[in-house]
Amino acid sequence: MRAISQRSWGAPEVLTEVEVERPQPGPAEILVRVHAAGINPVDWKSRATGGFGLWGEPPILGWDVSGVVEETGPGVTIFQPGDEVFGMPRFPHQAGAYAEYVTAPARHFAPKPAGLDHVQAAALPLAGLTAWQALVDTADVRPGRRVLIHAAAGGVGHLAVQIAKARGAHVIGTARGSKHELLRDLGADELIDYTETDFTEAVADLDVVIDPIGGDYGPRSLKVLRPDGVLVSLNSPDEDALRPRAAALGRRAGFMLVEPDRTGLAAIADLVSSGRLRPVIDAVFPLSEAAKAHHHGETGRTTGKLILTVHD
């Protein structure tokens, strides 16, 4: 099968198309014919540095998958060949989504939302599960909570805006002014143009802050939380260093790493089916242009998600 791999860690140009053996599903696994694969910042960070280092041979990037079940391994009862599925298998271990086929535990997938094509569905798993687990499982967002989402027009951010709104929250987002119209359409109640306004001077007494940026955004975000407020950092494990500082202020903070989650995928699919969640696609590239897609993503100016098409 075709796949995108690399012989070294570095710039996008290290990505190259290779031929590798098609994987076989083991016990409790399924083989999925990949129709589309989503691209996330963790992909290009891993490409440049080796990321978590949990790679196979050869290393194949990618975790977002939307496709069709080709085969089932022994013991699988929830899917059969021909089923359309989407998921974020094996994260943070290698899933190898930049390829024509992937194998993974069946319960790392869920039925693809019927109203979406494979390109749209591939935009959801990693970013959608990150937003869901941050807002619902970690921060317990409920009706009336005031939630600030940094980088609200990004891959995680634009889905977090919609999920928080669906949970009944008052949603505030930071984004360039050119992206405010889209974010209002997605449900944001207030928007801050971070190029013109310091968010710490624009908001206060927040219940939850979602920070996918890192750097000084974490310490600054602690200032705008109310007592017992929650800061969920998504960028680096180093952000766990904020925990004692937050505790001293009577707040909670820490780094969250997304996990494979069939229940979360089903909840995301339900939001799509009810019209409360839709992915925004910035650009679509064929598998062979993965390097070009990474160049585009690393500009930091994308809105929503980047997608690779694998099988039509």
Side-chain angles (χ1 to χ4, degrees):
M1 69 173 185
R2 292 185 304 130
I4 301 296
S5 185
Q6 55 193 102
R7 296 182 182 275
S8 61
W9 310 109
E13 287 72 24
V14 302
L15 297 175
T16 183
E17 187 171 313
V18 297
E19 287 285 333
V20 297
E21 186 175 350
R22 194 178 88 170
Q24 296 298 314
E29 292 186 342
I30 57 175
L31 172 70
V32 177
R33 179 183 174 96
V34 180
H35 283 245
I39 298 175
N40 297 282
V42 67
D43 296 10
W44 58 76
K45 292 175 183 177
S46 295
R47 183 215 69 230
T49 67
F52 298 105
L54 305 173
W55 299 104
E57 180 56 44
I60 300 173
L61 295 173
W63 286 276
D64 278 335
V65 173
S66 183
V68 178
V69 177
E70 186 87 357
E71 298 178 25
T72 60
V76 173
T77 59
I78 59 174
F79 294 119
Q80 60 185 355
D83 288 344
E84 294 188 318
V85 296
F86 77 131
M88 184 199 71
R90 302 190 188 277
F91 188 86
H93 297 265
Q94 175 168 308
Y98 294 10
E100 291 186 296
Y101 295 90
V102 300
T103 57
R107 293 180 184 275
H108 286 190
F109 294 90
K112 179 180 73 67
L116 300 183
D117 60 27
H118 286 293
V119 167
Q120 295 168 316
L124 288 173
L126 194 148
L129 284 176
T130 299
W132 180 267
Q133 291 172 12
L135 290 164
V136 180
D137 298 339
T138 304
D140 191 24
V141 168
R142 302 177 185 180
R145 297 285 173 90
R146 287 168 50 80
V147 178
L148 172 63
I149 298 167
H150 290 303
V156 171
H158 85 285
L159 298 175
V161 166
Q162 298 174 77
I163 292 171
K165 194 64 181 177
R167 301 282 294 182
H170 180 89
V171 181
I172 307 162
T174 64
R176 290 179 175 273
S178 61
K179 301 180 180 183
H180 286 192
E181 183 178 355
L182 169 66
L183 290 168
R184 289 191 186 94
D185 185 51
L186 295 179
D189 298 291
E190 297 181 46
L191 292 162
I192 301 167
D193 186 341
Y194 67 88
T195 68
E196 298 181 356
T197 303
D198 182 345
F199 72 89
T200 63
E201 298 177 357
V203 292
D205 296 320
L206 301 176
D207 296 285
V208 179
V209 177
I210 305 297
D211 173 25
I213 300 173
D216 69 347
Y217 269 73
R220 291 166 64 206
S221 294
L222 288 178
K223 299 177 182 178
V224 301
L225 285 171
R226 65 165 180 79
D228 296 325
V230 182
L231 166 63
V232 186
S233 298
L234 305 174
N235 187 60
S236 167
D238 294 340
E239 290 155 4
D240 267 339
L242 288 172
R243 290 182 188 272
R245 183 171 176 178
L249 297 171
R251 288 128 173 93
R252 291 190 292 131
F255 170 67
M256 191 209 83
L257 186 65
V258 66
E259 304 173 53
D261 180 0
R262 177 176 168 81
T263 301
L265 288 171
I268 289 166
D270 286 344
L271 289 177
V272 171
S273 298
S274 65
R276 292 180 291 173
L277 182 68
R278 63 180 175 91
V280 173
I281 309 299
D282 184 278
V284 180
F285 300 84
L287 180 65
S288 60
E289 294 184 5
K292 183 177 179 180
H294 276 224
H295 271 298
H296 185 63
E298 288 182 299
T299 65
R301 298 295 178 86
T302 57
T303 300
K305 291 294 299 290
L306 302 175
I307 306 295
L308 297 175
T309 54
V310 183
H311 286 111
D312 292 334

